[in-house]
Amino acid sequence: HTWRSHIREVMFDHWDQVQEGNFAEAVQIIFKGFTKQRYPEDAENLEFLVEHMIEVGQFLKRKAAEKALKNGKPTKGTITNSKFWYEVRKKISEILEEKRIQRKSSVEESEDDIPYSAFNQ
């Protein structure tokens, strides 16, 4: 879990930069100390991960600020490692499930477009 802590800390240490740039730039900032990708799809996967890490970070920071304001305390902005990664995994799982459902739906629709007689040839 040490590498996860490091990744989260680097992201929040460079928070303004990772929010302003594109996801490819954010990947370079956050994963600077890690080995290079081996396959072309690795870059795409890291960008997907970083996109949702940033979204979750924004959500959790906003939520922490609202809670602090409600309690009349200054905003610390600390987000625990476990909460952060739990929310990232949850977000990515939701998106992948949504894509899976869309793919299944589009396959079923395309099968509906094929006339029944095409199967009996």
Side-chain angles (χ1 to χ4, degrees):
H1 295 306
T2 307
W3 62 271
R4 287 186 187 171
S5 295
H6 177 74
I7 290 169
R8 179 184 54 85
E9 288 170 11
V10 168
M11 183 185 79
F12 285 122
D13 288 347
H14 298 89
W15 188 237
D16 292 335
Q17 287 176 284
V18 298
Q19 290 187 95
E20 291 171 5
N22 63 38
F23 298 125
E25 292 168 353
V27 166
Q28 295 302 315
I29 293 167
I30 295 169
F31 291 95
K32 186 178 180 181
F34 293 88
T35 57
K36 298 290 179 198
Q37 302 93 24
R38 296 180 183 177
Y39 304 103
E41 63 270 9
D42 287 352
E44 187 178 311
N45 292 336
L46 284 176
E47 287 179 27
F48 177 78
L49 175 63
V50 165
E51 175 184 357
H52 300 295
M53 287 170 56
I54 292 169
E55 285 179 12
V56 166
Q58 291 168 337
F59 169 75
L60 292 175
K61 280 184 162 286
R62 185 177 62 248
K63 209 168 149 183
E66 289 170 359
K67 185 177 179 180
L69 184 64
K70 181 180 161 186
N71 295 331
K73 297 179 181 176
T75 306
K76 288 188 262 178
T78 54
I79 298 167
T80 65
N81 198 41
S82 60
K83 178 70 173 169
F84 176 76
W85 287 108
Y86 168 80
E87 292 293 338
V88 169
R89 281 191 303 274
K90 182 176 147 187
K91 175 81 175 166
I92 289 174
S93 293
E94 289 170 359
I95 290 167
L96 294 176
E97 179 65 16
E98 197 174 290
K99 284 182 179 181
R100 188 185 69 75
I101 290 169
Q102 287 174 350
R103 275 196 310 270
K104 184 178 177 186
S105 173
S106 68
V107 167
E108 289 172 355
E109 286 175 15
S110 66
E111 288 175 353
D112 290 344
D113 293 342
I114 301 171
Y116 178 73
S117 60
F119 291 114
N120 292 328
Q121 294 178 0

